[in-house]
Amino acid sequence: MRVVFLSLLLVLTVGSFAQQPAAMPEVKKFYFKSFFDRVKSPQKGADFVETVTVGADSITHVEIRHITLDQIVLDAFLKKDEPVGMWYYHLANGGRLLNYDFNLVYGSAAPDSAEKAFFVPNLPEITNLLVDVPEKKYVAPVLATGDGDLSEFMQNNLVFPYYSMVNKQYGRVLIGLQIDEEGTVSRITVENGVNVYLDKEAMRIMKKIRFRSGAKLDGQPKRIYYRLYISFFQ
């Protein structure tokens, strides 16, 4: 009899746990005018609505929609304050997918002492490793993105993070990276950051860059250690 009673109690206990409802995600809405000024507004007179959903996995999903056009202008994911996953950002020239599905890396991309022999040495005549210097028999890596040069690539691909623009967060992010003899980019590193939004965008843009070939010095393939500042100013 006692065994039956204990079995029944166990079934009831397990059943009560099974019937516990899953935690509902926290959802908040914010109505505002002006996409960048974000002037708070009653729902009736608002131009935009921002829906923020915090999931059980601590990932925050943000959707900003233009109410009249019924058009999503920003679809974003954050882990704490860090952009993660795939974002959709509707800019003046159309929609753009932004891939933030990677981890930020801080430190230095410089080669260690054992690797330096494979790299182009520091020469005063070569001030920009992405530009040919014929008098030193230096041939720079060749872009494979269809852009004329690095400046054009940045202009065509860099996006000023929305929340940094709204909060007037500006600055220059120093990125270091390596380009090997075949033109493959690696060790992309934030060497001097500003904040998580700008750092993540600077790293994203460098992850997009591609080269058709690597550098050569005196006809010999060489690796390069390249550093550049990526500026975010209005």
Side-chain angles (χ1 to χ4, degrees):
M1 188 69 179
R2 182 177 298 174
V3 173
V4 174
F5 175 76
L6 289 175
S7 300
L8 179 60
L9 181 61
L10 180 61
V11 170
L12 290 174
T13 303
V14 172
S16 65
F17 280 116
Q19 292 172 9
Q20 292 294 325
M24 295 295 292
E26 180 185 354
V27 179
K28 295 181 181 179
K29 290 184 181 290
F30 175 65
Y31 294 89
F32 60 98
K33 287 180 172 293
S34 180
F35 186 57
F36 292 107
D37 292 335
R38 293 173 62 90
V39 179
K40 188 175 181 180
S41 170
Q43 180 176 350
K44 187 174 181 180
D47 295 321
F48 299 91
V49 55
E50 178 182 72
T51 304
V52 178
T53 305
V54 181
D57 55 359
S58 299
I59 300 295
T60 300
H61 176 221
V62 181
E63 179 193 277
I64 300 179
R65 182 180 294 270
H66 190 288
I67 296 172
T68 304
L69 299 178
D70 193 26
Q71 180 181 63
I72 294 174
V73 291
L74 181 68
D75 190 70
F77 297 89
L78 301 165
K79 189 170 185 178
K80 294 186 178 179
D81 288 329
E82 181 180 347
V84 294
M86 295 295 297
W87 285 37
Y88 174 79
Y89 195 5
H90 192 87
L91 303 167
N93 57 355
R96 186 83 64 87
L97 285 175
L98 310 176
N99 185 1
Y100 293 117
D101 191 19
F102 58 87
N103 295 322
L104 274 168
V105 179
Y106 291 93
S108 173
D112 59 35
S113 56
E115 297 174 308
K116 283 187 175 180
F118 301 101
F119 285 75
V120 173
N122 292 324
L123 298 173
E125 297 88 351
I126 304 177
T127 57
N128 186 344
L129 289 166
L130 295 186
V131 177
D132 293 345
V133 184
E135 59 269 27
K136 295 301 294 183
K137 298 182 180 179
Y138 175 72
V139 179
V142 178
L143 275 172
T145 60
D147 302 285
D149 55 22
L150 181 61
S151 295
E152 185 176 334
F153 170 79
M154 300 295 287
Q155 184 177 353
N156 290 337
N157 291 278
L158 188 65
V159 174
F160 201 128
Y162 172 69
Y163 289 105
S164 289
M165 189 175 294
V166 165
N167 294 314
K168 297 179 170 54
Q169 298 169 336
Y170 310 121
R172 297 195 308 164
V173 180
L174 178 60
I175 293 286
L177 54 86
Q178 294 184 11
I179 304 172
D180 72 10
E181 298 90 339
E182 304 298 323
T184 302
V185 180
S186 64
R187 295 195 193 178
I188 303 169
T189 306
V190 178
E191 296 195 349
N192 190 9
V194 178
N195 64 41
V196 69
Y197 285 104
L198 301 185
D199 296 351
K200 199 83 185 252
E201 174 58 17
M203 199 165 173
R204 182 193 72 84
I205 196 73
M206 286 296 97
K207 282 182 169 289
K208 283 180 63 70
I209 200 166
R210 298 289 183 271
F211 293 91
R212 187 172 294 111
S213 58
K216 288 185 179 181
L217 184 64
D218 291 326
Q220 297 299 313
K222 289 285 185 178
R223 305 173 194 172
I224 67 171
Y225 163 47
Y226 189 71
R227 305 169 85 207
L228 75 160
Y229 280 101
I230 300 177
S231 297
F232 298 91
F233 295 101
Q234 278 189 318

